[in-house]
């Protein structure tokens, strides 16, 4: 067992715990925004794609990397925009037209 | 120096993500939370761009531009009624990105450098497995929601056995790869992952899509976490764990709200084997015209609306809100009863009604509203069926027996807005329609509500 694995497992376990504590407290009212927010956040895989797309690992890696960058960027940009758009709609008082 | 800078950026963004997500626990703090998370994302991206392995930026910029050009319309212009489809599609993109990263990493280590550690290989195996399953699985879910594929469960003989055999093969191959990282086996895992995504989702019916969407959310997160292990990148592990945990938790909540186990949702092919329940007795329903319904509503003092997927299909949410305002002007209390699995994704009804300007304190969860249902004068069921089916409480032979429901039948009067008497999605008969205090108002929900509103204005 490498140190890398043990260290990673600690991080994973603690994150799952923190996530559980937060997510159980999210009201059903906001379950759709929660889902689109976590989806936007998991667009963090963009940071891995960036290194592959811009790295010196050969043509195939560059191509795969660029597609991955595009796909992850769609989630990041679209995900944050739509979550914000949804949350903007949740109001206590109706807006007078 | 660069190394420290990147890690500092990742540390800051992890913190911002967690604080941001916590904002979602309260509607008032939610917007600020998502903005914090967005800042976190920006910090992580900028931090990554100084990575020493990056030698050229033209490809990166190209990818970022394509992603932004597609992402902006997907964020700003997609109508709220298309939210389930949009979420399914974004899970597919997320899965694809992670799977491709996994393949590129494999090529770099195992083929170009000719050496890959057992640990990295194992992590990459799980990464491409979850990534590919998420990609095709989410595309299938998208197809079903969009109506490109049939919403009915598609099954064939021995399907579950085949799926399980493929799953076992995949896991065995990943274990084998840890000791012998051969390209042939690696690409077999990639191929099997794509196939499994299809096989896992195709047999699941449209009404079970909330669980599938949650599971795909979870798999996308697990794939990202696995890539964090492979790349020794903590922020990927943290975000993957948050995403994976959240999706899993939502899937559990959804399954509970249907009183079904995961196994049953995944392998039960719900809604196909159930022949419409018929006891041979010709039952009759009582229909109401819009005028009758309007007259009744005017004399009520407490009205509860139970929305379902039908409201989303007919896009009736704005008409519902107009009716609510008309009734409130007459001093009638209007509330909405929201079942956890109403619609095609968690929170579907809340988003639609919020879009129509319904204040969120009018949206009441099932458990909170049920005790007061007997005092409700009129319960208006709009496009909902299974979530108000009293057979779930009483009929042990019913496919949905045990599922918690909104007690519409206990209110003094029930109006059901429905297209026709055709059986609901799951093909299960609904005794609610035949009750003494139930009146059917036939027609498209939106049109019915428009005429109803016109009557109420008189």
């Amino acid at each position: 067992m490498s140190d890398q694995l043990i260290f990673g497992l600690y991080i994973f376990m603690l994150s799952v715990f923190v996530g559980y504590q937060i997510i159980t407290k999210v009201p059903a009212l906001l379950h759709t925004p929660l889902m689109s927010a976590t989806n936007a956040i998991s667009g963090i895989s963009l940071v891995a794609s960036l290194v592959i797309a811009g790295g010196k690992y050969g043509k195939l890696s560059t191509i795969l990397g660029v597609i991955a960058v595009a796909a992850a960027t769609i989630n990041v940009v679209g995900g944050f925009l739509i979550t914000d758009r949804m949350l903007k709609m949740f109001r206590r008082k109706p807006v007078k037209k | 120096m660069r190394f420290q800078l990147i890690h500092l950026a990742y540390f800051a963004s992890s913190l911002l993500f967690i604080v941001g997500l916590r904002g979602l626990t309260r509607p008032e703090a939610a917007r600020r939370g998502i903005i914090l998370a967005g800042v976190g994302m920006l910090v992580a991206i900028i931090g990554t761009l100084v990575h020493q392995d990056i030698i050229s930026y033209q490809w990166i910029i190209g990818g970022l531009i394509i992603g932004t050009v597609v992402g902006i319309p997907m964020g700003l212009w997609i109508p709220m009624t298309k939210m389930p489809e949009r979420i399914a599609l974004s899970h597919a993109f997320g899965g694809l990105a992670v799977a491709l990263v996994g393949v590129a990493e494999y090529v770099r280590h195992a083929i170009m450098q000719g050496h890959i550690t057992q640990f990295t290989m194992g992590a990459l195996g799980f990464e491409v497995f979850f990534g590919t399953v998420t990609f095709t699985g989410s595309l299938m879910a998208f197809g079903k929601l969009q109506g490109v594929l049939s919403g009915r469960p598609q099954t064939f003989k021995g399907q579950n056995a085949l799926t399980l055999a493929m799953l076992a093969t995949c896991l065995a191959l990943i274990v084998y790869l840890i000791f012998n990282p051969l390209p042939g086996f690696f690409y077999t895992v990639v191929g099997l992952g794509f196939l499994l995504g299809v096989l896992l989702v195709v047999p699941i019916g449209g009404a079970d899509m909330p669980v599938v969407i949650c599971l795909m959310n979870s798999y996308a997160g697990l794939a990202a976490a696995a890539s964090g292990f492979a790349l020794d990148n903590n922020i990927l592990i943290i975000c993957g764990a948050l995403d994976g945990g959240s999706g899993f938790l939502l899937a559990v909540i959804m399954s509970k709200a249907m009183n079904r186990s995961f196994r049953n949702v995944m392998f039960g092919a719900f809604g196909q084997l159930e022949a419409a329940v018929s006891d041979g007795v010709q039952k009759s329903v009582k229909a109401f015209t819009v005028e009758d319904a309007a007259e009744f509503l005017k004399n009520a003092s407490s009205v509860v609306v139970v929305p379902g997927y039908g409201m989303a299909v007919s896009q009736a949410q704005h008409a519902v809100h107009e009716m609510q305002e008309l009734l409130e002007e007459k001093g009638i209390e209007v509330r909405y009863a929201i079942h956890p699995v109403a619609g095609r994704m968690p929170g579907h009804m809340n988003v639609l009604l919020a879009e129509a300007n319904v204040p969120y304190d009018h949206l009441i969860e099932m458990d909170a509203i049920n005790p007061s249902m007997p005092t409700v004068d009129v319960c208006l069921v709009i496009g909902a069926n299974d979530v108000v089916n009293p057979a779930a409480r009483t009929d042990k032979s019913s496919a949905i027996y045990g599922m918690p429901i909104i007690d519409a039948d206990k209110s003094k009067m029930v109006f059901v807005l429905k297209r026709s008497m055709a059986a609901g999605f799951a093909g299960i008969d609904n005794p609610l329609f035949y009750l003494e205090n139930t009146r059917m108002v036939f027609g498209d929900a939106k049109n019915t509500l428009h005429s109803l509103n016109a009557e109420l204005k008189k």
Side-chain angles (χ1 to χ4, degrees):
Chain A
M1 281 259 227
S2 61
D3 294 346
Q4 200 184 336
L5 175 63
I6 295 296
F7 188 63
L9 284 176
Y10 270 112
I11 303 252
F12 186 76
M13 178 198 70
L14 290 173
S15 313
V16 167
F17 182 74
V18 169
Y20 183 84
Q21 290 298 318
I22 293 175
I23 288 148
T24 44
K25 290 195 186 75
V26 175
L29 177 74
L30 295 180
H31 274 169
T32 301
L34 168 70
M35 191 170 257
S36 86
T38 52
N39 184 248
I41 288 172
S42 77
I44 191 72
S45 64
L46 178 58
V47 303
S49 331
L50 284 175
V51 179
I52 288 166
K56 41 186 186 295
Y57 314 131
K59 216 171 241 153
L60 177 64
S61 286
T62 308
I63 296 168
L64 294 178
V66 172
I67 302 173
V69 167
T73 310
I74 292 173
N75 274 0
V76 169
V77 174
F80 279 110
L81 285 178
I82 204 157
T83 312
D84 185 57
R85 200 176 123 210
M86 264 191 275
L87 291 174
K88 237 190 301 193
M89 302 182 320
F90 283 92
R91 297 186 203 87
R92 203 179 273 281
K93 292 261 152 29
V95 177
K96 287 278 164 268
K97 274 166 265 176
Chain B
M1 184 56 207
R2 277 182 172 187
F3 184 77
Q4 275 91 341
L5 201 67
I6 293 177
H7 277 266
L8 207 61
Y10 286 177
F11 182 77
S13 29
S14 305
L15 193 69
L16 285 166
F17 287 152
I18 291 169
V19 175
L21 267 187
R22 206 187 58 158
L24 285 175
T25 54
R26 287 184 304 133
E28 313 86 70
R31 259 196 100 188
R32 202 189 53 209
I34 197 70
I35 290 167
L36 281 180
V39 172
M41 184 60 77
L42 207 61
V43 170
I45 294 169
I46 293 171
T48 308
L49 290 176
V50 304
H51 198 286
Q52 74 274 7
D53 278 9
I54 296 180
I55 47 162
S56 76
Y57 286 90
Q58 79 243 35
W59 291 109
I60 292 182
I61 293 169
L64 286 174
I65 290 176
I66 297 171
T68 312
V69 168
V70 182
I72 288 178
M74 280 194 66
L76 291 183
W77 298 331
I78 288 202
M80 285 299 149
T81 41
K82 287 282 168 202
M83 266 324 277
E85 288 90 331
R86 199 227 160 254
I87 298 238
L89 207 54
S90 63
H91 290 156
F93 285 130
L96 178 70
V98 176
L100 292 180
V101 168
V103 174
E105 281 294 309
Y106 174 81
V107 170
R108 169 157 84 105
H109 287 288
I111 297 176
M112 288 179 65
Q113 298 173 352
H115 173 75
I116 186 161
T117 66
Q118 293 185 339
F119 172 72
T120 310
M121 186 61 243
L124 283 181
F126 282 107
E127 177 184 345
V128 295
F129 172 69
F130 279 119
T132 48
V133 168
T134 309
F135 177 63
T136 48
S138 300
L139 283 184
M140 291 302 119
F142 171 77
K144 283 187 176 242
L145 291 165
Q146 183 73 23
V148 185
L149 297 171
S150 163
R152 297 231 160 241
Q154 310 290 314
T155 48
F156 52 84
K157 209 163 176 272
Q159 180 164 27
N160 286 344
L162 178 69
T163 309
L164 287 174
M166 281 175 62
L167 196 66
T169 313
C170 245
L171 295 177
L173 279 176
I174 293 173
V175 173
Y176 183 79
L177 275 167
I178 294 175
F179 301 101
N180 294 297
L182 302 171
F185 289 102
F186 181 77
Y187 293 117
T188 309
V189 171
V190 174
L192 281 177
F194 282 132
L195 265 175
L196 261 173
V198 176
L199 278 177
L200 278 173
V201 176
V202 162
I204 301 177
D208 285 342
M209 280 303 130
V211 181
V212 173
I213 291 185
C214 296
L215 275 183
M216 289 300 151
N217 192 9
S218 180
Y219 291 167
L222 291 178
S227 86
F229 279 98
L231 299 169
D232 193 16
N233 185 330
N234 290 334
I235 197 166
L236 283 173
I237 299 183
I238 293 171
C239 293
L242 290 176
D243 195 26
S246 158
F248 187 73
L249 208 65
L250 286 176
V252 170
I253 295 173
M254 293 297 116
S255 299
K256 267 200 190 135
M258 296 193 287
N259 191 38
R260 317 235 324 262
S261 66
F262 261 161
R263 204 172 61 87
N264 183 273
V265 173
M266 296 305 290
F267 299 108
F270 192 65
Q272 192 206 32
L273 308 169
E274 317 295 337
V277 182
S278 163
D279 46 17
V281 184
Q282 194 65 37
K283 289 179 280 189
S284 63
V285 297
K286 290 178 273 303
F288 242 17
T289 62
V290 171
E291 291 77 22
D292 300 334
E295 210 46 52
F296 226 98
L297 279 171
K298 281 180 194 167
N299 294 319
S301 62
S302 166
V303 172
V304 163
V305 176
V306 184
Y309 186 54
M311 183 189 80
V313 173
S314 140
Q315 308 219 7
Q317 66 271 28
H318 295 280
V320 173
H321 179 234
E322 197 192 346
M323 182 197 70
Q324 174 208 328
E325 287 191 323
L326 288 168
L327 290 174
E328 281 177 341
E329 277 168 22
K330 299 181 198 298
I332 302 165
E333 181 201 34
V334 181
R335 290 173 298 166
Y336 296 82
I338 312 290
H339 193 279
V341 292
R344 288 291 184 267
M345 68 179 168
H348 194 176
M349 294 299 123
N350 296 308
V351 172
L352 285 182
L353 291 167
E355 186 207 11
N357 258 324
V358 174
Y360 64 75
D361 46 6
H362 283 50
L363 310 176
I364 319 288
E365 289 178 33
M366 173 175 68
D367 294 336
I369 205 159
N370 267 346
S372 65
M373 286 309 282
T375 64
V376 170
D377 294 314
V378 178
C379 177
L380 209 59
V381 177
I382 304 177
N385 192 345
D386 292 344
V387 299
V388 289
N389 191 338
R393 253 195 329 254
T394 52
D395 181 3
K396 282 204 170 113
S397 67
S398 173
I400 56 168
Y401 177 72
M403 171 171 143
I405 58 159
I406 292 171
D407 297 333
D409 56 321
K410 292 191 179 160
S411 60
K412 291 174 193 157
M413 195 65 162
V414 187
F415 292 166
V416 179
L417 272 57
K418 202 171 175 335
R419 245 171 221 287
S420 67
M421 280 309 291
F425 187 88
I428 303 162
D429 199 17
N430 194 337
L432 176 72
F433 303 156
Y434 312 105
L435 290 179
E436 194 51 45
N437 56 344
T438 301
R439 299 289 179 275
M440 308 297 291
V441 187
F442 290 113
D444 172 72
K446 189 156 77 176
N447 295 339
T448 306
L449 284 164
H450 278 312
S451 353
L452 193 65
N453 291 342
E455 284 296 320
L456 288 173
K457 277 180 199 155
K458 277 183 194 165

